[in-house]
Amino acid sequence: MNVGTAHSEVNPNTRVMNSRGIWLSYILGIGLLHVVLLSIPFFSVPVVWTLTNIIHNMSMYIFLHTVKGTPFETPDQGKARLLTHWEQMDYGVQFTSSRKFLTIMPIVLYFLTSFYTKYDRIHFVINTISLMSVLIPKLPQLHGVRIFGINKY
Amino acid sequence: MERPERAAAALAVQPRANGCSGAGHGALRNGYVRGLSPPDTQINHIVHNGGLYKRPFNEAFEETPMLVAVLTYVGYGVLTLFGYLRDFMRQWKIEKCQNATEREEQKDFVPLYQDFENFYNRNLYMRIRDSWNRPICSVPGAKVDMMERVSHDYNWTFTYTGRVIKDIINMGSYNYLGFAQKAGTCQEAAAKVLSQYGAGVCSTRQEMGNLDKHEELEKLVARFLGVESAMAYGMGFATNSMNIPALVGKGCLILSDELNHASLVLGARLSGATIRIFKHNNMQSLEKLLKDAIVYGQPRTRRPWKKILILVEGIYSMEGSIVRLPEVIALKKKYKSYLYLDEAHSIGALGPSGRGVVEYFGLSPEDVDVMMGTFTKSFGAAGGYIGGKKELIDYLRTYSHSAVYATSLSPPVVEQIITSMKCIMGEDGTTVGKARVQQLAENTRYFRRRLKEMGFIIYGNEDSPVVPLMLYMPAKIGAFGREMLKRNIGVVVVGFPATPIIESRARFCLSAAHTKEMLDTALKEINEVGDLLQLKYSRHRLVPLLDRPFDETTYEETED
C-alpha cells in the first residue's frame, strides 16, 4: 500500500495517462456524457453539443489544471505537491504523446460542436471562451505559472 | 529466434528445472498450450542468445485485455467520484469524520495534515483494509492460525471476536524451503544456543558484538555461495541501504532496474551517486545506458565515471521474473562495470542445490562482484549478507554503516541460519535439504501450469516460486482477499499505487512445505473464486519476449 514498493517510480501520477487503454476510456467517457445529455428531452442538439463541450472543458480544467499534488503520499517528500496533474505528467517533459492527445481532444470536440451548432454566434462565443480556458494552461510557457497567485498553495 | 522444430529437439536434451528429475506432470514447455495451434504459428520463447543460456528462459507477461483496462479505469473513476462525495459530506458534517483532523481552534493555523495526500488512503484503502495487517498467531509455515477480527464501521476500527481461525493454507509467507517450523533440528539447535548465549548481543560488530557464531556463520556463507569471504548483517533492508553508500559515492553511476526493491533504491539515493534506470530486464536498454555512460561520461564535465555499478535482483518479487544474468554478466565484462546482485528471493529457491540464481544459470560466482542476499526468505531467520572478494569484504567490515552502528545478529537466529544452511548443503548428513529444493521446484512447475491451464493471467518466469495472479480491478482486490480467507487460504494482494494503475495482483509464494494435497485444495478454491469473480482473463496469447519493442517513450526523472 505504499507508493514505490514494487516500482522505482516515485510518482505514479506521471504515468497514468500513458497506461494501456486510458485514451480509449477517455473517449468513451466523453461519448457517455454526450449520450446522457442527449437523452434529456428538452435540450436541442446544438444545446447538447455546447453543454458537452462546456462540461468536458470544465472537468478537464478542474482535474488537470486546478487539483494539485497526488492523492497518495509519495516517497519524494512532496516535490509534486504544488504541481497540477498537467504539470506532473511525464515529469514535466513537454510535447509527449499523452500531452498531445489531451491538447487535441478539446480542439476536435470544438470542431464538432461548431458544426452541430451551425456556427451560431452565441454558441460560438461560449465555446471559444471555454476552449481558450482549457488550451491556454497547456502551453509550455505556462508550466508552473500561477497568474495573480491564484491556486499557488 | 530459432525455429520451433530445432528448439523442440534442443529442449529434449535440456536438463529439467533446477536439475531435479521431475515427476513429469506433463509440464508445459515454453508456453506451448497443447492442441491449441499448429507448431509453425506458435510463438517461440526460447532465447538462445549466442549460447549464453544453457536452458530455455521462459518469461511471459500477458498484455492486459483492453476491456479489462477500460473497466478498471471506470472502477477507479467511480471510486474517485464517491470519494469526493464522501469528503464533501464529511466536511459539511453530514457524515462523521473518523480520520485524524485538527481541532477547531487550530483551523486558522498552517494545516497540520495534507488532506489531499490522504485521499486514496481514506476512500480506497480503508474500504479493503481488512485484507492487510492480518494478525497471525502461530509459526508461518505451510499452515498458519489467524486471529479473527470484524469491523462494524467499515474498516475504520477492528475488534477481535476471540476466535482463532486455524490451519489456513499459507500462500503469502516467503517460506520457500519450509524452514519456518517450530519443531525440528533447526529449532532444537537454536534453543540450545539461546540457553547458551542468550537472546541479545547488546553491541555492534565493531565493538563487543562479534561472536564466534558470527565468524562461523560468515565462513559457512562464503562456502555456500562459492565466494572468498562474506559478512552478515542484522537486517536485510539495512544490508542494502547501508552498504551501497559504502561502495559508491558522488561521481559514480548506478544503473538500476526499473522494478528494484525499495531498499536498493534507498541505498542508491543515500549514496549520492547518479542513478539511471533501465527498463525491467531489458538488456538493450541496459546496453544503451552503458554505452552512453562510457561515451559521454559525467553530465557537464564529461569526465569518465569513477565506477559504474549495475543493481539487479535475482527474482523480482512483484513480477516473478528472473534476471537475465548471463547477458548482464556479458555486458558487465564488455563495458567493464561492476555488478551488485540482490538475491533476496532467489537464494535457496533457485538452482539444483539451492545456491541461487548464479547456479541456476550455470555461471561462476566470481563474475558477480557483490553477491547480496537475505536470510529472511529461504532460511527462516532474519538478516542479510554480502559475499565477494576478500578485499571487498574486509573493506566493508570497516566502512559499512551497518557494521559500525547496527547491532549484530542475535545468536539463536545465527544458529537457525547455520543449521538450515548446512541442511540445504547436505552437511548435516541427511538429504532433507536436497529434497526440499526439489520439492519447491516441482511445486512451482505444477502450480504455475495448473493456474495457466485454468485460464488466469500469471506473470513471470516458469521457474520462479513467486506467482503473481492478475486481478486488475480495484474491487476484485478486496473481494479476492476476503473470499480466499473465507475458504481458509491466506493470500497477499497488492494494488495501486504500489503497482501500476491497471496491474493489481494477488501474489502467491510457494513453499517446499506445501504438499500436493495442499496445493490441490488451494487450486480448487482459486478456481472457484476465479469463476465467481470472473478472473480468468487469459487468451493464451503470450507476448513474445523478443518482439517487445524497446523505445524511449518513458521519461524518467533525471538527476543532474
Side-chain angles (χ1 to χ4, degrees):
Chain A
M1 205 8 242
N2 296 316
V3 181
T5 37
H7 239 243
S8 56
E9 185 71 71
V10 213
N11 187 359
N13 251 357
T14 55
R15 302 268 232 114
V16 166
M17 286 295 167
N18 298 333
S19 317
R20 182 173 156 80
I22 199 161
W23 292 6
L24 177 64
S25 309
Y26 185 81
I27 295 174
L28 288 176
I30 299 178
L32 180 69
L33 168 70
H34 188 64
V35 165
V36 164
L37 285 174
L38 271 176
S39 48
I40 301 177
F42 31 80
F43 286 153
S44 64
V45 172
V47 171
V48 164
W49 274 100
T50 306
L51 271 179
T52 309
N53 194 24
I54 295 178
I55 294 177
H56 166 260
N57 288 349
M58 261 192 352
S59 315
M60 184 183 250
Y61 186 77
I62 290 177
F63 285 112
L64 285 188
H65 300 290
T66 313
V67 170
K68 294 194 300 289
T70 53
F72 31 76
E73 288 183 20
T74 50
D76 62 352
Q77 298 174 336
K79 271 195 200 144
R81 252 177 224 156
L82 296 178
L83 296 178
T84 61
H85 191 217
W86 179 260
E87 288 158 2
Q88 283 174 36
M89 269 170 60
D90 292 323
Y91 289 110
V93 174
Q94 299 294 330
F95 309 120
T96 65
S97 23
S98 299
R99 284 181 188 242
K100 287 185 205 161
F101 174 76
L102 288 170
T103 315
I104 289 171
M105 280 311 296
I107 298 176
V108 167
L109 204 56
Y110 178 71
F111 286 155
L112 288 169
T113 308
S114 307
F115 174 73
Y116 279 103
T117 60
K118 299 186 174 43
Y119 310 101
D120 177 72
R121 177 169 299 179
I122 303 176
H123 286 272
F124 166 74
V125 169
I126 299 175
N127 286 325
T128 311
I129 295 176
S130 177
L131 178 71
M132 284 301 124
S133 84
V134 98
L135 277 190
I136 291 179
K138 294 191 166 61
L139 291 172
Q141 287 75 16
L142 284 177
H143 180 93
V145 169
R146 305 275 184 261
I147 304 176
F148 300 135
I150 302 173
N151 207 18
K152 192 163 179 198
Y153 293 117
Chain B
M1 282 247 255
E2 307 206 13
R3 267 177 290 146
E5 318 86 57
R6 267 209 304 169
L11 187 53
V13 300
Q14 292 287 357
R16 298 249 190 172
N18 294 340
C20 61
S21 53
H25 307 287
L28 287 177
R29 294 276 182 238
N30 312 322
Y32 287 4
V33 181
R34 290 211 187 90
L36 212 61
S37 36
D40 47 25
T41 60
Q42 266 167 345
I43 302 162
N44 189 342
H45 296 293
I46 299 182
V47 179
H48 271 272
N49 219 329
L52 281 177
Y53 288 85
K54 302 186 182 71
R55 58 149 44 89
F57 187 83
N58 303 322
E59 226 167 59
F61 300 94
E62 187 172 336
E63 231 183 5
T64 316
M66 191 53 97
L67 175 64
V68 171
V70 172
L71 288 175
T72 311
Y73 295 125
V74 169
Y76 278 109
V78 166
L79 281 168
T80 311
L81 289 176
F82 270 90
Y84 278 120
L85 172 70
R86 297 288 287 271
D87 279 350
F88 176 77
M89 282 167 48
R90 280 186 205 115
Q91 192 183 13
W92 287 92
K93 307 279 190 298
I94 305 174
E95 183 187 342
K96 177 165 160 266
C97 178
Q98 282 156 325
N99 222 3
T101 44
E102 296 155 340
R103 299 199 309 246
E104 281 302 317
E105 306 89 65
Q106 290 175 321
K107 281 285 162 67
D108 289 329
F109 289 29
V110 173
L112 197 58
Y113 304 109
Q114 251 280 3
D115 49 355
F116 189 55
E117 273 189 355
N118 209 14
F119 181 88
Y120 191 80
N121 198 20
R122 284 197 294 277
N123 297 308
L124 275 83
Y125 178 65
M126 276 295 165
R127 290 171 186 261
I128 49 176
R129 193 160 78 115
D130 56 323
S131 298
W132 291 286
N133 294 329
R134 290 181 180 148
I136 62 175
C137 49
S138 77
V139 70
K143 293 214 167 143
V144 71
D145 301 337
M146 228 179 250
M147 310 248 353
E148 193 187 25
R149 49 181 194 169
V150 288
S151 173
H152 299 289
D153 50 0
Y154 300 102
N155 286 348
W156 285 95
T157 55
F158 289 107
T159 45
Y160 294 111
T161 59
R163 197 172 79 95
V164 172
I165 314 176
K166 290 212 164 282
D167 287 338
I168 296 178
I169 298 182
N170 187 359
M171 307 288 299
S173 291
Y174 305 132
N175 183 20
Y176 298 129
L177 290 178
F179 280 111
Q181 298 163 307
K182 57 182 185 204
T185 43
C186 298
Q187 181 266 344
E188 284 160 22
K192 208 152 72 78
V193 168
L194 177 65
S195 48
Q196 204 182 342
Y197 285 84
V201 186
C202 303
S203 184
T204 66
R205 281 302 286 274
Q206 281 194 356
E207 297 170 9
M208 292 284 280
N210 193 16
L211 304 176
D212 56 346
K213 281 272 161 220
H214 293 133
E215 307 267 324
E216 185 191 339
L217 171 67
E218 288 174 359
K219 289 203 187 63
L220 183 64
V221 168
R223 214 152 36 89
F224 182 73
L225 297 172
V227 292
E228 284 183 15
S229 170
M231 183 168 177
Y233 304 93
M235 184 175 157
F237 188 104
T239 311
N240 271 334
S241 48
M242 298 293 121
N243 283 309
I244 297 179
L247 294 173
V248 288
K250 214 159 173 328
C252 303
L253 175 66
I254 291 182
L255 299 175
S256 113
D257 188 291
E258 208 181 0
L259 300 181
N260 267 341
H261 189 252
S263 56
L264 288 165
V265 174
L266 181 62
R269 289 211 190 120
L270 281 174
S271 67
T274 310
I275 309 172
R276 301 223 172 120
I277 298 174
F278 61 93
K279 295 258 179 63
H280 176 58
N281 237 357
N282 190 325
M283 295 299 120
Q284 288 89 356
S285 174
L286 176 59
E287 181 162 16
K288 180 170 190 320
L289 284 182
L290 276 166
K291 267 193 205 158
D292 285 348
I294 306 257
V295 167
Y296 293 114
Q298 299 192 26
R300 271 184 304 267
T301 56
R302 298 284 193 228
R303 286 200 207 124
W305 294 100
K306 283 198 226 156
K307 248 183 290 224
I308 301 182
L309 185 67
I310 306 175
L311 292 182
V312 287
E313 289 188 36
I315 291 183
Y316 292 90
S317 63
M318 274 299 162
E319 302 276 309
S321 49
I322 300 182
V323 67
R324 292 169 186 274
L325 198 58
E327 292 181 63
V328 174
I329 289 186
L331 279 175
K332 168 196 103 101
K333 285 183 182 160
K334 180 175 172 189
Y335 293 99
K336 299 200 177 35
S337 48
Y338 297 103
L339 178 61
Y340 184 107
L341 177 66
D342 177 346
E343 288 206 81
H345 286 268
S346 54
I347 190 80
L350 286 182
S353 63
R355 311 278 165 125
V357 69
V358 173
E359 195 197 19
Y360 173 74
F361 285 112
L363 300 165
S364 155
E366 293 171 353
D367 288 332
V368 180
D369 301 293
V370 188
M371 290 185 67
M372 179 265 170
T374 58
F375 300 119
T376 338
K377 293 33 190 224
S378 299
F379 301 99
Y385 66 84
I386 289 201
K389 295 246 173 332
K390 189 166 180 317
E391 296 89 28
L392 172 72
I393 302 297
D394 286 346
Y395 172 81
L396 281 180
R397 282 189 212 280
T398 346
Y399 283 94
S400 157
H401 294 64
S402 279
V404 182
Y405 295 110
T407 319
S408 35
L409 278 160
S410 169
V413 173
V414 175
E415 187 59 29
Q416 159 82 15
I417 304 169
I418 292 179
T419 326
S420 55
M421 206 176 262
K422 283 196 178 145
C423 179
I424 298 175
M425 284 171 27
E427 286 181 9
D428 59 342
T430 65
T431 51
V432 168
K434 200 162 169 54
R436 284 182 196 238
V437 175
Q438 285 182 3
Q439 179 71 31
L440 177 65
E442 279 187 35
N443 283 353
T444 308
R445 285 252 152 175
Y446 177 62
F447 197 73
R448 278 180 171 266
R449 178 179 65 88
R450 285 288 306 273
L451 281 179
K452 284 217 181 87
E453 278 170 7
M454 285 180 196
F456 295 101
I457 297 188
I458 308 288
Y459 272 14
N461 199 305
E462 288 281 322
D463 289 321
S464 118
V466 178
V467 185
L469 188 149
M470 303 308 289
L471 300 172
Y472 297 118
M473 300 181 199
K476 295 193 185 180
I477 304 173
F480 192 79
R482 288 174 193 155
E483 286 292 322
M484 293 306 279
L485 188 58
K486 269 193 224 162
R487 290 167 168 78
N488 255 14
I489 301 181
V491 296
V492 170
V493 289
V494 59
F496 183 72
T499 58
I501 186 167
I502 43 172
E503 289 175 18
S504 6
R505 59 199 72 178
R507 187 184 63 182
F508 300 105
C509 292
L510 295 166
S511 162
H514 286 136
T515 60
K516 191 155 181 300
E517 293 74 36
M518 279 187 224
L519 288 184
D520 283 332
T521 320
L523 283 164
K524 187 170 76 70
E525 305 294 354
I526 296 173
N527 200 5
E528 266 180 46
V529 175
D531 282 328
L532 179 68
L533 297 177
Q534 295 190 19
L535 290 171
K536 300 190 176 174
Y537 300 118
S538 178
R539 288 175 294 193
H540 296 290
R541 255 197 289 131
L542 303 163
V543 176
L545 294 178
L546 296 177
D547 286 357
R548 229 195 295 180
F550 162 60
D551 57 0
E552 298 188 34
T553 54
T554 36
Y555 306 92
E556 302 97 22
E557 202 172 359
T558 48
E559 304 203 15
D560 242 356

